[in-house]
Amino acid sequence: MRRAIALARAQVGLTGENPAVGCVIVSAGGVVVGEGATARGGRPHAEEIALDLAGAAASGATAYVTLEPCGARSSGAVACADRLVAAGVARVHVACRDPSPYAAGRGLERLAAAGLLGEVGLLADEAAFLYADYRPPGPAAR
């Protein structure tokens, strides 16, 4: 998770309205097979980048994500929680919950329903600075 926090830290202030997120995917053997951070302007998301790099090696792996993976996308694209499930990731650990009224809880619900949700709050104290100034867009109906 510390590596994911470092990846996100490098993107703070560069991701538009989106928060800076870091994601690291580690194989069952302990090898980092993919990593990413939210790109400039907010897209692609960290999980998308990490999963693309990991490819088939994501199957059975563990993902460490600094912010709850999105459970819905305003763009209509596949949500990161769904991408993690589809990739066959075995476990997802999350540092911080998403404060966005549009997204809060959706990703965690999807991961839990698929049996993938690991620890929520892993190194949350160390990751909290990433989202201290994050002001999500206005409320949206869930």
Side-chain angles (χ1 to χ4, degrees):
M1 184 63 78
R2 285 191 177 94
R3 174 65 181 152
I5 292 169
L7 290 167
R9 177 184 294 121
Q11 292 302 98
V12 171
L14 304 175
T15 59
E17 287 185 347
N18 286 351
V21 177
C23 177
V24 176
I25 300 174
V26 180
S27 73
V31 176
V32 173
V33 294
E35 63 180 28
T38 308
R40 288 182 180 264
R43 287 189 174 59
H45 288 184
E47 299 91 333
E48 292 176 281
I49 296 167
L51 286 168
D52 284 349
L53 289 172
S59 182
T62 299
Y64 296 87
V65 188
T66 60
L67 187 69
E68 171 184 350
C70 65
R73 304 268 301 257
S74 58
S75 67
V78 177
C80 290
D82 293 332
R83 287 177 182 264
L84 289 162
V85 171
V89 169
R91 182 71 63 211
V92 180
H93 298 291
V94 176
C96 301
R97 295 174 184 269
D98 192 333
S100 165
Y102 179 75
R106 286 183 176 187
L108 296 178
E109 289 168 2
R110 294 232 171 102
L111 294 172
L116 305 185
L117 189 58
E119 184 176 349
V120 177
L122 178 63
L123 299 183
D125 290 344
E126 292 182 35
F129 78 93
L130 294 167
Y131 311 111
D133 294 328
Y134 173 53
R135 300 294 175 256
R142 242 184 112 177

